Amino acid sequence: MRARTRLAVGAAGALTTVGLLTACGAAGSSGTEAPEQAASGAGCDPVAGDELVVLDDDKKLQDTDNVIPAVNADVATPQLVAALDKVSAALDTPKLIQLNKAVDVDRKTPAVAAADFATANDLTAGIAKGPGGRIVVGAGNFSESQTLAELYKITLIEAGYQVTVQQIGSRELYEPALEKGEIQVVPEYTATMAEFLNTKENGQNAQPVSSPDLDKTVAALKIAGDRAGLVFGAPSAAQDQNAFAVTRAFADTYAVRTLSDLAEKCSGQATVLAGPPECPQRPKCQAGLVQVYDFKAGSFSSLDAGGPQTKNALKTGAASVGLVFSSDGALAAG
């Protein structure tokens, strides 16, 4: 589904969510763990199952990464920003999951999925006309970004603009194009973009400006945007974050619904954590689980970042808990 850089670190069977959706990101190989994260106790053996559930990040390990429109300041008229904010107002995480399912599971094009969503949610109602002109909406090289760009296109056309969508690639390519005005609008993510601009200006070791508090993250993002010639619209309720998942059978067997539950009941030798190779040392992944929750897995299985390998390991009983993405279309119930 995606190929994009997250703050921390793209199957068969329905997946549903338990509570709020969360995030992760550190190195290791199958059956290994960071020495300081050695586990004691029995732990929780993996339990195979076709349905996955996402555990609630009840202590807020992850920063907020809500979808937000980014705009070149030269074209950011009140009417243009208001049209983009219509998309933000209509989106939440369950709806974003359904949009991704339409494209990644049901194989609709991003344009068709966006048009269906716009009709179902009366997206163009009440949009005021702007000054018009040509607008290029950039999109990242993953389907969610392309679908969001198509939603922006729909509202901007209603506002009187001539709009095209252009797939640019990674943030390292499209953000400079946005600053230069080569593209005028792009769908972004609050915490990820805040840290991208922060490290771009202040270096890779800059003190983080994002947090689990959305208002604080957006405030920091807008300050950085002002210096870069960028304007940000309203954040949506939809988040695309990393998340820790288990099978429904695992959750029921061990009565686990939150990451605190996982830490309390499943720290120990039998518990297998699956994720990308960089997970064990990352502060938003295994290292963060140790620091924030005192969760200590018995072993780590180096697989992929929210991809088919990790999901398959959970479903086949090779892993107890694994990294997925909170807006993955596979999370759609039914």
Side-chain angles (χ1 to χ4, degrees), residues 103-303:
V103 176
D104 300 322
V105 178
D106 301 336
R107 300 303 176 188
K108 294 182 180 180
T109 66
V112 169
D116 290 347
F117 180 90
T119 299
N121 291 273
D122 203 14
L123 198 60
T124 58
I127 291 180
K129 297 295 183 182
R134 295 185 180 276
I135 296 292
V136 178
V137 180
N141 56 354
F142 58 104
S143 60
E144 179 176 290
S145 182
Q146 293 155 27
T147 305
L148 291 168
E150 293 289 346
L151 288 173
Y152 289 166
K153 177 181 178 180
I154 289 169
T155 59
L156 290 173
I157 288 175
E158 183 66 21
Y161 295 91
Q162 296 172 280
V163 187
T164 57
V165 171
Q166 181 179 347
Q167 183 177 329
I168 304 295
S170 69
R171 183 173 288 102
E172 287 75 12
L173 293 175
Y174 69 68
E175 191 278 333
L178 184 64
E179 285 193 30
K180 295 174 184 176
E182 295 169 353
I183 59 176
Q184 287 76 46
V185 177
V186 69
E188 260 302 346
Y189 301 86
T190 53
T192 299
M193 186 59 163
E195 295 306 338
F196 180 88
L197 293 175
N198 180 33
T199 56
K200 182 178 179 180
E201 180 179 5
N202 301 310
Q204 291 301 313
N205 295 322
Q207 186 70 22
V209 295
S210 60
S211 79
D213 185 310
L214 178 60
D215 291 340
K216 291 181 180 179
T217 299
V218 171
L221 175 61
K222 290 186 174 182
I223 290 171
D226 287 343
R227 293 194 288 265
L230 304 179
V231 171
F232 294 92
S236 74
Q239 297 192 40
D240 182 354
Q241 299 175 296
N242 303 326
F244 294 106
V246 299
T247 64
R248 172 70 70 183
F250 180 99
D252 291 344
T253 297
Y254 299 108
V256 170
R257 295 293 182 269
T258 68
L259 290 176
S260 289
D261 292 341
L262 183 74
E264 178 184 354
K265 299 176 181 180
C266 294
S267 289
Q269 295 298 323
T271 305
V272 181
L273 171 65
E278 65 270 21
C279 180
Q281 280 75 47
R282 289 293 176 88
K284 298 296 182 180
C285 199
Q286 189 174 7
L289 288 173
V290 173
Q291 181 178 6
V292 175
Y293 287 98
D294 196 28
F295 168 68
K296 298 176 182 178
S299 61
F300 176 74
S301 182
S302 178
L303 298 173

Side-chain angles (χ1 to χ4, degrees), residues 67-126:
V67 174
I68 192 170
V71 186
N72 178 276
D74 291 339
V75 301
T77 65
Q79 297 93 334
L80 183 143
V81 174
L84 298 173
D85 286 349
K86 288 282 289 185
V87 177
S88 293
L91 274 178
D92 58 20
T93 302
K95 288 181 179 178
L96 185 56
I97 289 171
Q98 290 295 336
L99 273 169
N100 287 328
K101 176 181 181 293
V103 176
D104 300 322
V105 178
D106 301 336
R107 300 303 176 188
K108 294 182 180 180
T109 66
V112 169
D116 290 347
F117 180 90
T119 299
N121 291 273
D122 203 14
L123 198 60
T124 58

